[in-house]
Amino acid sequence: MPSPLLTRVRGVLRLRRYSIRTEKAYVDWIRRFIRFHEMEHPEKMGAAEVKRFLTWLAVDRNVAAATQNQALNALIFLYREVLAIDLGDIGGVARAKKSPNLPTVFSEGEVMNVLSALQGEYWLMSALLYGSGLRLMECVRLRVKDINFSYRCVIVRGGKGGKDRVVTLADTLVDHLKVQIAHVDALHQRDVLEGYGSVWLPHALERKFSSVSKELAWQYVFPATRRSVDPRTGIERRHHLGPSSLQKAVRQAIPAAGIERKASCHTFRHSFATHLLASGADIRTVQEQLGHRDVRTTQIYTHLLERGAGGVISPLNRLIAKPVVRR
């Protein structure tokens, strides 16, 4: 039997138009918070219990800073938006340490090697991650109308922070994307003939424009292989390809390309930024392409260039002509 409290949480999240991924994450954290306190109802708890849970995550579970912050956000949402309870001061929590590590970046040759180890949709999606600097979810959520061939650009809708932005589209991907959209069109027509064909629309557009959900322009560029039931509406639809399938394909392609460093789909985005800066692109341009709010976030990629952000030249370069004695 579903929990009445968690049902309320889901209802408020949907009313506030939170994404399904955020909904699942928040509900999971609230459930873990309740279990941690031996099934005590949150109304009977407060700031002290929240502090104890967050401290346990940092000290005993050794979670990342982003993970602890997500748990905190979920609990603040629970108390503020659902229970209408003011937690007051929740300072004094042991904070998880944020990793200072620089991001992993592929060389241009490594990008080509990884792409060569991929096929079909996974190749095209990975090429977009690198060629346009997209985040994983920005790529899988692309719709047909978001690809502008005339201006060679991709419109990212509702990126991180809910912001839209325009990014470049590589000329070499135009023909591949046209073939992909033709495949989407054929698949969509088959769904329509079978009595389906609608797609999830944001911001209640489906209620305002009932026919829009079946237009090709709104279909996902990378659709799932099978239709599924929307957990929020109960409607059977074709959603976008799951992000985990692309992650798995890239994870297998990386060692196949002879790369032993830890890397992922996001490494393509890091490589996009670093290679743009290395080619002479202005840092503000790269900031806009990546959708960073603060240019300081973009500046981290300057540290990955051949001579670093400060233009430091290794002293070994002055000794390169001298023989090195090895013992």
Side-chain angles (χ1 to χ4, degrees), residues 102 274 277-278 299-315 317-318:
L102 293 174
T274 305
L277 289 169
Q299 284 175 337
I300 191 172
Y301 298 109
T302 63
H303 297 283
L304 302 173
L305 300 178
E306 184 178 1
R307 292 188 177 181
V312 178
I313 300 175
S314 171
N317 289 352
R318 295 194 297 270

Side-chain angles (χ1 to χ4, degrees), residues 33 36-37 40 44-54 75 79:
F33 172 67
F36 175 78
H37 290 292
E40 188 74 49
K44 298 179 180 179
M45 298 187 285
E49 288 77 14
V50 170
K51 290 179 187 178
R52 199 177 341 146
F53 177 66
L54 295 174
L75 296 178
Y79 280 95

Side-chain angles (χ1 to χ4, degrees), residues 277-304:
L277 289 169
S279 66
D282 179 81
I283 193 168
R284 293 290 182 179
T285 300
V286 179
Q287 177 191 2
E288 291 176 1
Q289 289 284 307
L290 294 175
H292 288 161
R293 181 181 303 174
D294 193 326
V295 72
R296 288 176 294 182
T297 307
T298 315
Q299 284 175 337
I300 191 172
Y301 298 109
T302 63
H303 297 283
L304 302 173

Side-chain angles (χ1 to χ4, degrees), residues 1 45 53 56 81 89 95 97 208 263-264 299 306:
M1 182 176 179
M45 298 187 285
F53 177 66
W56 172 76
E81 305 295 338
D89 181 24
R95 305 298 297 186
K97 293 183 179 179
K208 298 177 183 177
S264 65
Q299 284 175 337
E306 184 178 1

Side-chain angles (χ1 to χ4, degrees), residues 110-120 122-123 126 248-259 268:
E110 288 173 333
V111 171
M112 292 301 298
N113 290 341
V114 176
L115 291 178
S116 297
L118 294 163
Q119 295 181 340
Y122 297 137
W123 177 89
S126 299
K248 181 180 179 181
V250 171
R251 196 162 51 241
Q252 293 174 343
I254 289 169
I259 300 172
F268 285 119

Side-chain angles (χ1 to χ4, degrees), residues 26-294:
Y26 277 24
V27 168
D28 181 60
W29 280 118
I30 293 168
R31 184 183 289 115
R32 292 175 67 177
F33 172 67
I34 294 170
R35 288 176 178 171
F36 175 78
H37 290 292
E38 300 180 345
M39 307 307 291
E40 188 74 49
H41 196 284
E43 285 182 335
K44 298 179 180 179
M45 298 187 285
E49 288 77 14
V50 170
K51 290 179 187 178
R52 199 177 341 146
F53 177 66
L54 295 174
T55 299
W56 172 76
L57 287 177
V59 177
D60 295 274
R61 303 300 296 174
N62 196 30
V63 301
T67 302
Q68 189 190 41
N69 286 336
Q70 187 184 65
L72 173 61
N73 291 337
L75 296 178
I76 289 176
F77 180 89
L78 168 66
Y79 280 95
R80 180 184 298 167
E81 305 295 338
V82 181
L83 301 178
I85 295 175
D86 183 8
L87 283 176
D89 181 24
I90 53 174
V93 175
R95 305 298 297 186
K97 293 183 179 179
K98 191 171 184 179
S99 173
N101 295 337
L102 293 174
T104 301
V105 172
F106 294 136
S107 68
E108 292 181 349
E110 288 173 333
V111 171
M112 292 301 298
N113 290 341
V114 176
L115 291 178
S116 297
L118 294 163
Q119 295 181 340
E121 288 182 325
Y122 297 137
W123 177 89
L124 181 54
M125 295 172 81
S126 299
L128 273 170
L129 295 179
Y130 173 68
S132 300
L134 299 179
R135 298 180 177 92
L136 173 63
M137 292 308 301
E138 292 172 348
C139 181
V140 299
R141 288 173 176 164
L142 281 177
R143 299 183 192 248
V144 172
K145 67 181 184 62
D146 298 330
I147 309 296
N148 191 316
F149 294 114
S150 299
Y151 289 95
R152 293 293 192 271
C153 67
V154 176
I155 303 173
V156 177
R157 307 283 185 181
K160 192 171 183 179
K163 297 182 294 183
D164 294 353
R165 72 181 192 279
V166 179
V167 299
T168 187
L169 172 62
D171 292 341
T172 53
L173 296 183
V174 168
D175 290 341
H176 295 284
L177 281 169
K178 288 181 177 179
V179 170
Q180 176 65 19
I181 290 173
H183 163 70
V184 172
D185 190 12
L187 189 62
H188 176 55
Q189 293 302 324
R190 191 178 73 190
D191 283 344
V192 171
L193 289 174
E194 293 177 0
Y196 301 96
S198 68
V199 69
W200 178 83
L201 299 179
H203 309 310
L205 281 176
E206 190 169 11
R207 289 199 302 271
K208 298 177 183 177
F209 311 102
S210 58
S211 62
V212 167
S213 66
K214 290 191 176 182
E215 292 181 1
L216 174 63
W218 283 92
Q219 304 303 309
Y220 291 109
V221 176
F222 302 105
T225 55
R226 291 179 292 182
R227 294 188 299 267
S228 58
V229 176
D230 188 325
R232 291 183 167 180
T233 64
I235 300 174
E236 184 173 332
R237 292 171 165 149
R238 190 176 297 277
H239 204 49
H240 56 66
L241 196 68
S244 60
S245 60
L246 177 58
Q247 289 173 316
K248 181 180 179 181
V250 171
R251 196 162 51 241
Q252 293 174 343
I254 289 169
I259 300 172
E260 298 180 355
R261 304 190 308 282
K262 183 179 180 181
S264 65
C265 291
H266 209 64
T267 306
F268 285 119
R269 177 173 160 88
H270 293 321
S271 304
F272 164 84
T274 305
H275 296 169
L276 268 187
L277 289 169
S279 66
D282 179 81
I283 193 168
R284 293 290 182 179
T285 300
V286 179
Q287 177 191 2
E288 291 176 1
Q289 289 284 307
L290 294 175
H292 288 161
R293 181 181 303 174
D294 193 326

